[in-house]
Amino acid sequence: MATSTEAAGTIGATSPGSRKALIAILPLAILLYAVVPLILRGQPYWLNVMTNAAILSFGSLGVWVTFAIGRVNIAQGAFALLGGYTTAILSTVFGLSFWLCLPLSGVVAALVGTLIGWPLLRLRGIYFAMVTLSLTEAMRLLFLNTVTLHDGGGVLNIPRPAGIDTPLDFYLFAATLLLVGYLAVWRLAGSRIGWVFRSMRQNEELAMSIGINVARYRVFAFAFCSAMGGMAGACFASLQQNIYPATYTVTDSINFMLYCFLGGLDFVLGPIVGTFGLIIAFELLRSIQEYQALLYGALMILVMLFLPNGLLSLPSILGRFWRSSR
Amino acid sequence: MEQILVNGAILSANYALIALGITLIFGIMNVLNFAHGQMFMIGGLIVYTVCVVFKLPYAVGLLAAAVVVGLIGMLLERTLFQRVMRISSREENTMLLAVGTALLLENIALFIFGEKQRGIPPMVSGVYRLGSAFLPANRLLVFAISLALIAAVLLFVNFTRQGRAMRALAQDRTATMLMGADVNRISMLGFGLGAALAGIAGGLLISVSGVNAGIGTAISTKAFIMIMIGGAGVIGGALLGAVALGFAEAIGYALFPGSVTYLLIFTALILFLLIRPQGIMGKPWG
C-alpha cells in the first residue's frame, strides 16, 4: 500500500502536477504576500488581526482533514493547548529555540492524537463530536491541575521566535506557515489518500470491504489534524508570550470547526476563507461594540440558512441562477 | 456519607430534566442540541427577572421560563431547523446550525441581561436533618419539583396520543407520516417540550447555585456527558446518565479539590466509551 501511495506521489510531482499546484497556490500567495502587506503595512493592529487569522486558518485546515473523513472534530482546541504548552515549557524551562519547539509541538500533538484517536475514532457522528468536545475540556483541566510554574497553571514570558521582531515579520511568518499548510492539505486532498478519505466519509464499511485499512487512515487523518492544531497553538503561545489553561476552551474548538463549515466543507480553501471572513467581520463589527456579538451570531445563522454548503458554494449557486435565468 | 448521597440525589434529579430535554430533541429531530445549555441559562435568567426585578412569586417565574423557552425552541425549530434539514447536503449541517443558535442565544442573553452572576433568594427557608446530612428545604423543593416533572414527562410520552406520536417519530419518520401523524407539528412540539424542560431546569437551579449568561457551554457539556453515558436518544438512558453524573459529581466534590473531579469524570467517560461506544442503553450509531 505504501508503494502505491509513493507511486501516485511521483506521478503527481511531474510538471503538469506542479503547474496545477502553482495555480492552486498562486492567488493565495499573492494575496498573502503582496496585497495584505501593501494595504496594511502601517497598521500594526490590523497586521496582528491578519496574523491571528492566518494561524487560526492553519488550525482550521487540520479540522478540515477530519471533516474529510466524515468526523466532526471539536478537539482542535485541546491540541492547540497541548502544542502551546509544549512550546511554552520547552522554551522557558529548557531554553529551546522556537524554531525547534514548533515542529516538536506538532510531533507531540500528533503522537497524543494517535494515542487518543486510535480508540476514539471508533465512535462516529454525534458520539465522536461529543467525546472530542469533552476532550477539549479534559485537556484544559489536565493543564490546570498539573502545570505548577505559575498560579492557575499558566506559563509566562515565553520568548518570541528568534529573528522575528516586528508585527510585519510575524505576519509574514504566519502567512508562510499558512501557505505551506495549504499546499500540504491541498496535495493530500488530491492524492490517493484524499480519495480514500472521501470513500470513508461516504461509507466506512464499504471502504473497508474493498480492502482499505480504515482504522489506520482515520488515525492518520486525526494525527495530521492534531499536528496542525499543535503547531497553531505553538505559534500563538510565542506570539502572545503566555499561555493559560483557559487560552483554548470548548468555544475555541467549536470556532475552528465553524470556520471550516462557513467557508465550505467541499473546498480545501474553505477553512481559510471561513476563518479570514469571520475574523475580519468580527473586527469590522467592533465599531458598533454593543451589537458586535449579536450581529456576529445573526450573520452566522444567515450564512447557514442561505448558504448551507459554505461561502465558497456561492459561485456555483450564482452560476446555476445565471444559467436558469437565461 | 449521607450528605454525599443527599447532594447526589438532588443533582441527579435536576440533571435528569436537562438530559430528558436534550434526549427528546435528539430522538425526534436527530439534532444534537448544542443550544441546550443556553436554553437552560435563559430559563434561569427569566426566573431571575420575574422574581427579583418584577417581584412576582416564584411559581410565576418558573411558568414563564417554561413557556418562553419552550416558545423559543418551537420558533427555532420552525424557522431554522426545518429549513436547513430540507436543503443541506451533509448531515453535519444541523449540528452546526445548533452551534450557531447557541452562539446567538448566548449573545442575546449577554446583551439583555449582562454578564453578572444572578441568583434568587431561596423560595422556602429552613433546614431538615436526614441522619447526619443537612437538607435545606429549598433544595428539597427543587428535588420534589424535578421528580414531579420527570414523572409528568414520562407519563406524557408513554400514554398520551401526542407523546406516542413523538416516540413513533423517533423510531421511524416515514412510518409515522404514513400513520397520519402531522410530523411537522409533532417535531415542533417535541423541540418545544425539550427546550421548556431545559428552561425549567435552569429556573430551578438558579435558586440553588445561580446562573450567568456564559454558563451555557458548561451545561451543554454536562448534558452531552449524560447522554454519552446513557445512550443518545433513549429516555431510560438519559435518566441513568443523569443519576451517574449527579452522584459522580457529588462524590468527586466531596473527595477531591475543585477541578480534579471533572478531569476524572472525563477520563472515566473516555475509558467507558472504549468499552461501550453507544452508552449503556443506546443503539449503535443511534
Side-chain angles (χ1 to χ4, degrees):
Chain A
M1 189 162 289
T3 46
S4 66
T5 317
E6 265 165 37
T10 43
I11 291 166
T14 50
S15 65
S18 48
R19 198 177 309 142
K20 248 165 72 186
L22 208 64
I23 293 169
I25 205 168
L26 207 58
L28 186 67
I30 293 173
L31 210 62
L32 285 175
Y33 281 133
V35 180
V36 171
L38 264 180
I39 297 175
L40 301 174
R41 201 177 24 200
Q43 290 161 300
Y45 177 80
W46 275 97
L47 270 179
N48 218 350
V49 170
M50 289 296 161
T51 310
N52 279 341
I55 302 175
L56 285 173
S57 303
F58 186 79
S60 319
L61 270 170
V63 179
W64 187 88
V65 175
T66 45
F67 267 119
I69 61 164
R71 294 289 200 282
V72 179
N73 176 6
I74 319 184
Q76 194 69 325
F79 290 101
L81 199 63
L82 182 65
Y85 266 99
T86 308
T87 290
I89 290 169
L90 285 180
S91 60
T92 55
V93 179
F94 300 99
L96 241 59
S97 151
F98 172 78
W99 303 111
L100 266 176
C101 291
L102 180 65
L104 279 177
S105 296
V107 169
V108 168
L111 283 179
V112 173
T114 308
L115 215 65
I116 299 180
W118 191 270
L120 283 190
L121 282 155
R122 287 165 59 207
L123 304 174
R124 296 181 201 181
I126 61 151
Y127 286 94
F128 187 76
M130 290 191 292
V131 82
T132 45
L133 183 137
S134 309
L135 193 62
T136 308
E137 189 62 11
M139 194 68 87
R140 180 180 76 82
L141 294 173
L142 182 70
F143 283 113
L144 186 64
N145 285 298
T146 52
V147 177
T148 49
L149 292 171
H150 187 264
D151 272 352
V155 179
L156 307 182
N157 300 324
I158 302 166
R160 286 269 177 123
I164 287 183
D165 305 307
T166 63
L168 187 64
D169 285 353
F170 221 114
Y171 167 75
L172 289 175
F173 159 63
T176 310
L177 187 74
L178 175 59
L179 274 180
V180 172
Y182 174 64
L183 197 64
V185 174
W186 179 84
R187 189 70 196 84
L188 186 75
S191 70
R192 183 178 166 279
I193 300 178
W195 289 100
V196 170
F197 284 176
R198 247 156 276 160
S199 75
M200 281 161 59
R201 193 184 81 217
Q202 281 170 7
N203 192 332
E204 257 182 36
E205 280 78 20
L206 199 59
M208 216 183 287
S209 76
I210 54 171
I212 292 170
N213 189 340
V214 169
R216 196 177 297 164
Y217 276 100
R218 64 190 180 203
V219 167
F220 171 70
F222 192 67
F224 194 91
C225 159
S226 307
M228 292 188 84
M231 284 164 76
C235 292
F236 273 122
S238 190
L239 173 67
Q240 279 151 5
Q241 301 194 280
N242 62 50
I243 189 163
Y244 293 93
T247 305
Y248 299 101
T249 58
V250 171
T251 316
D252 297 287
S253 286
I254 288 177
N255 282 342
F256 275 120
M257 176 187 88
L258 278 178
Y259 295 146
C260 293
F261 171 70
L262 286 173
L265 294 178
D266 297 331
F267 313 91
V268 186
L269 210 52
I272 301 175
V273 171
T275 313
F276 274 89
L278 276 182
I279 300 269
I280 292 171
F282 191 71
E283 286 300 326
L284 290 177
L285 289 173
R286 200 180 280 278
S287 52
I288 37 170
Q289 237 165 23
E290 263 179 281
Y291 304 95
Q292 181 191 24
L294 208 59
L295 280 176
Y296 183 70
L299 198 73
M300 218 139 63
I301 301 257
L302 283 179
V303 174
M304 286 183 197
L305 275 184
F306 297 105
L307 291 172
N309 300 317
L311 289 171
L312 284 174
S313 66
L314 191 61
S316 73
I317 289 177
L318 287 179
R320 215 176 306 144
F321 184 72
W322 169 246
R323 275 195 300 280
S324 65
S325 67
R326 261 200 312 186
Chain B
M1 189 61 211
E2 279 112 333
Q3 188 69 56
I4 296 177
L5 291 180
V6 167
N7 291 348
I10 294 170
L11 268 178
S12 302
N14 200 278
Y15 283 175
L17 287 179
I18 303 174
L20 265 183
I22 202 166
T23 298
L24 273 177
I25 295 176
F26 178 73
I28 294 168
M29 305 276 299
N30 213 5
V31 169
L32 183 60
N33 185 18
F34 269 82
H36 213 69
Q38 276 73 16
M39 291 170 172
F40 171 98
M41 170 267 294
I42 289 179
L45 291 176
I46 288 173
V47 168
Y48 167 81
T49 312
V50 171
C51 296
V52 175
V53 180
F54 297 132
K55 300 199 168 46
L56 290 168
Y58 180 70
V60 179
L62 210 53
L63 194 69
V67 171
V68 173
V69 180
L71 284 177
I72 292 175
M74 286 160 104
L75 188 76
L76 289 178
E77 201 275 340
R78 178 67 14 131
T79 54
L80 303 181
F81 285 94
Q82 279 192 7
R83 180 184 159 84
V84 169
M85 283 174 97
R86 210 174 52 237
I87 60 173
S88 66
S89 64
R90 283 188 174 213
E91 56 179 328
E92 291 101 327
N93 287 15
T94 50
M95 190 195 289
L96 292 155
L97 177 67
V99 172
T101 55
L103 268 167
L104 189 67
L105 288 180
E106 189 162 315
N107 288 328
I108 292 175
L110 268 173
F111 186 66
I112 300 176
F113 300 101
E115 52 197 34
K116 257 202 190 133
Q117 174 84 7
R118 304 288 191 188
I120 61 168
M123 304 148 256
V124 282
S125 54
V127 175
Y128 299 105
R129 290 206 63 158
L130 216 75
S132 64
F134 292 100
L135 175 57
N138 184 49
R139 292 191 182 209
L140 188 64
L141 183 66
V142 166
F143 182 65
I145 296 176
S146 303
L147 281 192
L149 278 170
I150 295 166
V153 170
L154 289 182
L155 288 175
F156 172 77
V157 171
N158 280 309
F159 297 111
T160 66
R161 210 182 152 74
Q162 309 275 359
R164 279 206 288 256
M166 282 181 197
R167 280 190 304 143
L169 198 55
Q171 277 182 7
D172 192 327
R173 201 173 185 91
T174 320
T176 312
M177 229 183 271
L178 289 173
M179 292 301 118
D182 184 345
V183 171
N184 282 344
R185 203 174 59 91
I186 299 291
S187 300
M188 192 172 77
L189 265 183
F191 210 105
L193 181 62
L197 283 174
I200 292 176
L204 287 172
L205 218 62
I206 194 176
S207 72
V208 176
S209 56
V211 164
N212 63 60
I215 204 175
T217 311
I219 297 290
S220 293
T221 310
K222 285 184 184 181
F224 296 160
I225 296 174
M226 291 187 267
I227 59 177
M228 277 192 278
I229 297 174
V234 188
I235 288 178
L239 298 179
L240 258 178
V243 171
L245 183 68
F247 278 94
E249 204 174 292
I251 295 169
Y253 281 145
L255 297 180
F256 306 107
S259 55
V260 178
T261 301
Y262 261 89
L263 184 57
L264 291 176
I265 290 178
F266 284 125
T267 315
L269 176 75
I270 290 171
L271 292 176
F272 167 74
L273 287 174
L274 297 187
I275 304 163
R276 199 161 169 81
Q278 71 272 39
I280 299 173
M281 296 175 75
K283 301 160 279 183
W285 323 131

